[in-house]
Amino acid sequence: MSAASRRTITGCLALLVAFGSTLAITACDDTEAETANSALETAAVRRINLEVKAEATGAIQPIRTVEVKSKASGEVLRLHGETGMNVTRGTLLAEIDPRDVRNAYQQAEADMDVAEARLKASQTGHERSVQLREANIITAQELESAELDLANQKAAHFRARTNLDLAEQRLNDVRIAAPIDGTIISRTVEEGTIIQSGSSSVSGGTALFTMADLAQMQVSALIAEIDIGRVSAGQPVSVTVDAFPDRPFMGSVQKIEPQAKVEQNVTMFPVIVVLDNAEGLLKPGMSARVEVEIMEKPGVLGVPNDAVVNMSDALAAGMVLGMSEEAVTQALEAARAAGRTPPARGVGEAAETATADSTSPAADPGAANRRAGAGGQRAGADGTAPVQRPGADGAAPGQAGQRGQITPEMRERFAAMRGRRAEAGGNDETRPGVVFVNGPAGPELRMVTFGASDWDNTEVVSGLEEGEAVIIISAIRLQQQQQQFEERMRERMGGGGIVPGGGMGGGRGR
């Protein structure tokens, strides 16, 4: 069989893998290959309004909630407050049986009367003693005794006055009034319930009502650590509740809690969002979907996320579309030579060029091993000793060092790459990637600089023009092709060593 025939059959088999065909192969020529390429799903590069948002869920809660308790113990005689009532400060809500406190008040009044009479008698006796002492009728000791009695009576009168004031306050405490302007959101007692005082009970007393100011509400939403760096106080927030799915409520970020929470191995930070509720539509406990507006870019070039491929997935994606390994490798090397993409990362380069790849080792624990660069080490086929391979730029094996040391040449390339990013996008969010377009001879690889992305589209900073068509790549097919490629590499390496390649497709979501 000639080399041309072998290449034709290999291309047909790759196309069958890409489209999951189960038909028997009877013939394969250039016409059929062109037909298969024309059947690829494509999407046009177009102008879009890109909105980058951090999404989370939470519950609507009042900003200020107050429990209403009684300072008096006893039976609840009457309740004047109901849930849902809007009341002002001082409005009567409940009345407690006043018999005990009324008796105590009457006793305090009687004690006050006795104290006043004794004080008056003591004052009169003291005045008489002073006159008798001036006439030298009584001794100085008798005058001192009269003065001491007057002082004692004044103290007794003061105690009686204090007790009367306290008894009067307790008598007023049986009438429970609203402590704030707001809405009664819950009631926990009924008429006839025996309650405990909130001031004298060790348990804190019985709560009668719960009140809240519903004019302003808040949502505590958990934002992922990857997005929290772009969230700050004052940012606009859109909140949607199930009761009004077509009406967003606008609010703003009040603060970001300093303490993180870990849920299902994901680090998240509580973000407090404040909402205006002047219409009273939001109720405590409603489930809320929160969208924090991080970035808005109107009228930028964009492509669907399913067309974006990470650098590390370019080989597998090309094979899904029927391209050979040599063709994809040559296209990548040509782009690197032209300075449109950074060199393949080595073990030591991964930390310095992490922003160049949308999939980080933190998101994919195996990425650091799968993507060990060409300047690192590979285990030999017999598993006896590591075999060093030259870097992608053709540098000598020892140039990058045994343990990921970064050479001055690499640092210059990193600096140049950052400069190109700054010129292209003006920020560090730009990243290199690839797309595939339909060329005269079939799918072709195109190097592109991407910017921000949302759940559907990714911004194109450079590398594509408006109106061009890019090929949509199925993530499932890409993963299947990757697995097959890794299996072949393991077979070539004798079942050991580290397999190059990356995770599943790029540009999916954020």
Side-chain angles (χ1 to χ4, degrees):
M1 182 183 294
S2 65
S5 299
R6 286 197 298 270
R7 285 196 298 271
T8 301
I9 294 175
T10 301
C12 292
L13 291 176
L15 287 173
L16 287 174
V17 172
F19 296 101
S21 176
T22 57
L23 298 177
I25 300 176
T26 57
C28 184
D29 54 18
D30 294 340
T31 302
E32 293 178 354
E34 291 177 0
T35 303
N37 287 335
S38 64
L40 293 173
E41 182 182 359
T42 62
V45 181
R46 58 189 179 89
R47 296 285 175 180
I48 60 173
N49 295 325
L50 191 65
E51 294 182 353
V52 181
K53 300 179 180 180
E55 299 183 355
T57 58
I60 302 291
Q61 295 296 337
I63 295 178
R64 185 185 181 191
T65 303
V66 178
E67 283 189 338
V68 181
K69 296 183 178 182
S70 171
K71 295 181 181 179
S73 301
E75 179 184 355
V76 178
L77 293 182
R78 284 175 289 277
L79 292 172
H80 303 284
E82 295 290 341
T83 55
M85 286 180 57
N86 295 320
V87 297
T88 58
R89 180 184 177 92
T91 302
L92 182 63
L93 299 180
E95 295 181 63
I96 309 301
D97 185 0
R99 285 179 295 180
D100 292 340
V101 292
R102 182 183 293 121
N103 292 339
Y105 176 75
Q106 292 173 350
Q107 182 64 48
E109 281 187 320
D111 293 341
M112 183 64 188
D113 292 340
V114 172
E116 287 181 346
R118 288 180 176 176
L119 177 59
K120 184 176 181 180
S122 180
Q123 289 174 340
T124 302
H126 178 264
E127 293 175 357
R128 186 182 303 111
S129 297
V130 171
Q131 295 174 357
L132 292 176
R133 177 56 186 161
E134 291 176 351
N136 203 20
I137 297 176
I138 62 174
T139 63
Q141 291 180 346
E142 290 175 325
L143 178 60
E144 291 174 357
S145 297
E147 291 176 348
L148 179 59
D149 180 69
L150 177 61
N152 288 332
Q153 294 306 321
K154 287 181 178 180
H157 182 271
F158 182 79
R159 287 193 296 270
R161 170 60 65 187
T162 302
N163 291 336
L164 180 61
D165 291 341
L166 292 175
E168 185 177 4
Q169 292 178 13
R170 293 191 181 100
L171 184 60
N172 294 331
D173 287 342
V174 298
R175 296 172 58 85
I176 302 170
I180 62 170
D181 297 340
T183 304
I184 300 174
I185 60 177
S186 68
R187 192 183 79 181
T188 57
V189 297
E190 297 293 338
E191 293 182 357
T193 304
I194 305 298
I195 63 172
Q196 294 293 325
S197 169
S199 57
S200 61
S201 174
V202 176
S203 62
T206 305
L208 282 70
F209 303 93
T210 301
M211 292 186 59
D213 182 6
L214 302 184
Q216 277 195 326
M217 308 293 279
Q218 69 178 9
V219 181
S220 179
L222 294 176
I223 302 295
E225 181 182 12
I226 192 173
D227 293 324
I228 201 65
R230 297 183 290 180
V231 178
S232 60
Q235 281 183 297
V237 178
S238 175
V239 178
T240 307
V241 296
D242 292 337
F244 306 98
D246 300 326
R247 175 175 179 174
F249 294 85
M250 301 308 299
S252 61
V253 176
Q254 183 184 46
K255 68 174 181 177
I256 301 172
E257 297 291 353
Q259 180 62 50
K261 295 183 178 179
V262 179
E263 294 189 357
Q264 298 180 352
N265 294 328
V266 178
T267 302
M268 314 183 84
F269 286 84
V271 175
I272 307 300
V273 176
V274 178
L275 302 168
D276 181 56
N277 191 33
E279 299 180 59
L281 300 178
L282 299 176
K283 307 297 182 182
M286 282 184 171
S287 298
R289 294 179 296 277
V290 178
E291 293 183 349
V292 182
E293 298 180 6
I294 294 176
M295 182 189 306
E296 184 176 0
K297 292 187 174 183
V300 299
L301 287 179
V303 294
N305 289 336
D306 288 337
V308 179
V309 179
N310 289 335
M311 295 293 301
S312 57
D313 301 327
L315 185 58
M319 296 177 67
V320 166
L321 299 177
M323 299 178 65
S324 65
E325 296 182 29
E326 292 77 11
V328 177
T329 303
Q330 289 175 3
L332 290 173
E333 291 299 333
R336 288 168 182 150
R340 293 194 298 269
T341 181
R345 294 183 295 167
V347 176
E349 299 173 78
E352 186 151 352
T353 59
T355 56
D357 200 320
S358 62
T359 304
S360 64
D364 185 357
N369 290 334
R370 292 197 306 271
R371 300 177 188 177
Q377 295 183 354
R378 295 289 186 271
D382 57 356
T384 57
V387 179
Q388 295 193 1
R389 300 176 61 183
D393 55 355
Q399 187 173 0
Q402 292 289 337
R403 298 185 180 179
Q405 297 176 357
I406 301 175
T407 65
E409 181 182 356
M410 291 179 181
R411 294 186 185 277
E412 291 178 2
R413 291 188 179 183
F414 297 151
M417 179 184 67
R418 294 191 185 100
R420 289 193 297 272
R421 286 184 181 180
E423 293 175 0
N427 55 62
D428 290 335
E429 292 186 357
T430 60
R431 64 189 188 279
V434 300
V435 297
F436 291 88
V437 298
N438 264 331
E444 296 179 356
L445 182 148
R446 180 81 61 85
M447 298 301 308
V448 180
T449 301
F450 296 107
S453 63
D454 58 16
W455 294 110
D456 301 314
N457 301 290
T458 299
E459 176 191 8
V460 174
V461 178
S462 64
L464 290 172
E465 299 294 334
E466 184 176 0
E468 287 190 272
V470 294
I471 299 175
I472 302 298
I473 299 176
S474 169
I476 297 177
R477 291 174 181 169
L478 179 58
Q479 184 181 21
Q480 292 173 347
Q481 182 63 46
Q482 255 182 339
Q483 292 174 351
Q484 295 174 7
F485 175 70
E486 291 179 1
E487 289 174 0
R488 290 199 302 271
M489 292 299 297
R490 289 192 181 95
E491 292 174 359
R492 294 179 185 178
M493 299 168 65
I498 300 174
V499 179
M504 287 173 27
R508 307 297 192 261
R510 282 194 297 274

